[in-house]
Amino acid sequence: AQLIYSMEHMVRLFYEGLTGETLCPPDENSSWKKNDYYGEGVTDNDLQYLEFLTNEYHLNPKPKLILIVEGNGEEEQFPRLSKKLFGYSFSKLGIEVVNIRGVAGFTGRKGLDQYGALEKFIDYYHNRQTIVFIVLDNEGRAENIKNKLINAPSKYYPNRFVTKSEYIHLWEKKTIEFENFSSEEIAYAMSKISTGEYVFTPVDIDNCQQQLKKKAADHLSRLYKEKTGYDLSKPELLKVLSDIIIENGENEFDNNGVPLRPISKLIHRIIKLASMNHQPTCFDTWKKNQGSGYLGDIKE
């Protein structure tokens, strides 16, 4: 592409040398000024000008989407599932994974640090048109904090809210394991990583799910500790469960190619959001995007 631009420029220079007449570059005229396209004052701000310029040529290395997860397992397996199931690399799509290491990193301590830091983080990146997408277990105050975030007005663009409800995903069945895998699959995975210490059964896992409905706790880890005497490695468990998805990849989609499991549907949605998040190349486009409802619902 750069060679083509250079060739066009060379032809204009040849023409000027032959005729003495200077031709304007394509899409420009004699009265055209850079600020007419980029926005008034943009070219005087080197950082802002460079931002729009690198966006125009698809050279800006900043992420198009930041995916916030709460554990090492999700941090490792989400990119892996994207590559194995859909053939897309997170890095090439411009997706950066941020691990907050536990749902408390999202909610903060009640009565002390609420969710203010996270709100500022999302608001800042949405102002830069990088989508912040959050995936969490539905524990503690997560749902309450989600509702506060989607109703918080943006400090950078007051006509919209900080984020959208669809950008904060909480698993309906409380945890990623119960939401996406059968009791048989979870029992198989826990038995495999126990290396013969205990053979878990689907009934064991069903009991954990029933206990979770009564009391929010990590019942799988408690069960594993009781039966084996060792702590359960959640990243290793999610890896084995992800292996099940990958090894049976042809059965993970319906006849129309639509993913069947919630985790696969979610990753496909994240891929689509990142790939469609075209970065603004001028101030006018940035302003239209901010007011479009794409980054946060518009205030009535």
Side-chain angles (χ1 to χ4, degrees):
Q2 186 59 46
L3 284 173
I4 293 172
Y5 283 112
S6 300
M7 290 166 63
E8 183 275 330
H9 189 203
M10 289 172 64
V11 172
R12 278 192 287 115
L13 291 176
F14 280 130
Y15 184 88
E16 183 179 354
L18 287 170
T19 67
E21 178 185 355
T22 301
L23 295 177
C24 296
D27 302 320
E28 299 179 16
N29 56 47
S30 57
S31 63
W32 186 89
K33 292 182 292 188
K34 288 182 179 179
N35 280 349
D36 292 342
Y37 175 76
Y38 292 105
E40 193 64 38
V42 169
T43 55
D44 296 327
N45 183 328
D46 289 344
L47 285 177
Q48 189 177 35
Y49 182 31
L50 185 60
E51 175 91 9
F52 288 144
L53 199 61
T54 53
N55 286 343
E56 185 175 358
Y57 292 98
H58 309 288
L59 296 173
N60 194 335
K62 80 178 181 70
K64 292 183 177 181
L65 185 147
I66 294 175
L67 175 61
I68 294 181
V69 297
E70 63 171 293
N72 294 335
E74 291 89 338
E75 182 183 14
E76 295 165 1
Q77 299 310 317
F78 274 51
R80 179 172 174 240
L81 288 170
S82 174
K83 184 68 174 177
K84 296 293 185 179
L85 282 184
F86 302 102
Y88 291 108
S89 163
F90 266 20
S91 60
K92 288 185 178 179
L93 286 167
I95 300 174
E96 178 183 338
V97 182
V98 174
N99 182 359
I100 58 175
R101 306 186 188 281
V103 72
F106 172 77
T107 61
R109 294 183 180 180
K110 189 174 182 180
L112 295 176
D113 53 337
Q114 299 289 323
Y115 63 97
L118 186 64
E119 178 186 324
K120 292 180 178 67
F121 179 88
I122 298 171
D123 201 14
Y124 169 77
Y125 275 103
H126 280 192
N127 182 62
R128 298 286 304 279
Q129 204 176 310
T130 291
I131 297 171
V132 178
F133 197 103
I134 302 170
V135 181
L136 299 169
D137 287 348
N138 192 357
E139 299 175 348
R141 296 162 49 239
E143 190 165 1
N144 183 40
I145 298 302
K146 173 182 176 177
N147 291 331
K148 289 183 177 180
L149 284 171
I150 63 178
N151 289 294
S154 169
K155 301 295 191 300
Y156 293 98
Y157 200 86
N159 291 334
R160 67 164 171 81
F161 293 101
V162 166
T163 190
K164 298 168 68 73
S165 178
E166 65 184 87
Y167 293 164
I168 304 177
H169 182 88
L170 305 180
W171 299 114
E172 290 183 11
K173 294 184 180 179
K174 303 298 185 182
T175 73
I176 187 172
E177 295 88 4
F178 291 143
E179 180 81 5
N180 293 283
F181 303 95
S182 67
S183 295
E184 290 76 11
E185 289 171 331
I186 297 173
Y188 164 80
M190 290 179 66
S191 299
K192 184 173 182 178
I193 63 177
S194 72
T195 60
E197 292 289 339
Y198 180 80
V199 177
F200 294 88
T201 68
V203 174
D204 292 330
I205 309 305
D206 288 339
N207 290 337
C208 285
Q209 290 201 60
Q210 293 302 318
Q211 292 168 7
L212 184 60
K213 293 177 182 178
K214 299 175 183 178
K215 180 182 179 182
D218 189 354
H219 297 288
L220 287 179
S221 292
R222 180 191 55 76
L223 173 66
Y224 189 86
K225 181 80 170 180
E226 285 179 358
K227 300 299 184 182
T228 68
Y230 300 102
D231 292 329
L232 173 63
S233 170
K234 281 297 193 70
E236 190 175 356
L237 175 63
L238 191 57
K239 179 186 181 301
V240 176
L241 291 170
S242 297
D243 289 342
I244 294 173
I245 295 178
I246 293 167
E247 290 166 4
N248 298 278
E250 66 279 0
N251 299 318
E252 293 295 322
F253 301 86
D254 66 16
N255 293 333
N256 296 316
V258 177
L260 296 173
R261 291 185 199 249
I263 190 172
S264 304
K265 291 179 180 178
L266 181 66
I267 291 173
H268 185 259
R269 200 165 120 226
I270 290 167
I271 289 171
K272 191 172 181 179
L273 280 171
S275 62
M276 296 299 291
N277 187 16
H278 305 298
Q279 297 299 293
T281 57
C282 64
F283 182 78
D284 186 54
T285 304
W286 171 85
K287 189 174 181 180
K288 287 179 180 178
N289 291 344
Q290 291 291 317
S292 67
Y294 180 65
L295 298 157
D297 291 330
I298 301 303
K299 296 169 65 177
E300 296 182 359

